[in-house]
């Protein structure tokens, strides 16, 4: 697999207030807007970039996809992980943006420094310095 290949996996989230979450995700984690398609006051589809990675978000709605993924706050074992160079700086940004810190900064046995938080709509975000890369063998 070429290392310059575009990402193939795009975590997708639905929010009750996706428009405000776009701003929050930028403030808390540094996401930038790649695309935003509105459906009236709702976000029909948005793509947010962080480095070479992206997530897709939209407003929660009672459609076929919504029936499959459930409503915001129904985590069911789902969470997202962001690899960063500086977990302490990421922690400060997330906390300043109002993230609910679920687990304070900690140093893991495998060398990662990380924390866990919830966004304003309850999604779980883990942020740490563990950064696996395709093409590199796991230790």
């Amino acid at each position: 697999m070429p290392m310059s290949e575009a990402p193939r996996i795009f975590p997708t989230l639905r929010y009750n207030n996706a428009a405000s979450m776009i701003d929050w995700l930028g403030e808390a984690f540094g996401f930038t807007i790649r695309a935003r398609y509105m459906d009236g006051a709702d976000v029909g589809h948005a793509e947010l970039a962080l480095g070479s990675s992206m997530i897709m978000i939209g407003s929660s709605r009672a459609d076929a996809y919504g029936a499959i993924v459930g409503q915001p706050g129904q985590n069911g074992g789902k969470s997202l992980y962001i690899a960063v160079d500086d977990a302490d700086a990421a922690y400060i940004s997330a906390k300043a943006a109002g993230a609910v810190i679920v687990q304070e900064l900690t140093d893991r046995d495998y060398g990662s420094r990380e924390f866990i938080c919830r966004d304003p709509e309850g999604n779980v975000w883990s942020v740490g310095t563990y950064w696996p890369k395709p093409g590199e063998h796991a230790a």
Side-chain angles (χ1 to χ4, degrees), residues 19 22-23 32 43 49 63 67 74 76 114 127:
I22 289 171
D23 295 334
T32 58
V43 176
D63 60 8
Q74 297 175 342
E114 54 196 44
V127 181

Side-chain angles (χ1 to χ4, degrees), residues 7 9-10 22-23 33 41 50 54 57 63 83 101 103 105 112 123 128 132 134:
I9 299 173
F10 298 89
I22 289 171
D23 295 334
I33 301 167
L50 183 66
M54 286 195 300
I57 72 169
D63 60 8
I101 305 301
Q103 185 176 83
L105 277 164
S112 184
N123 291 299

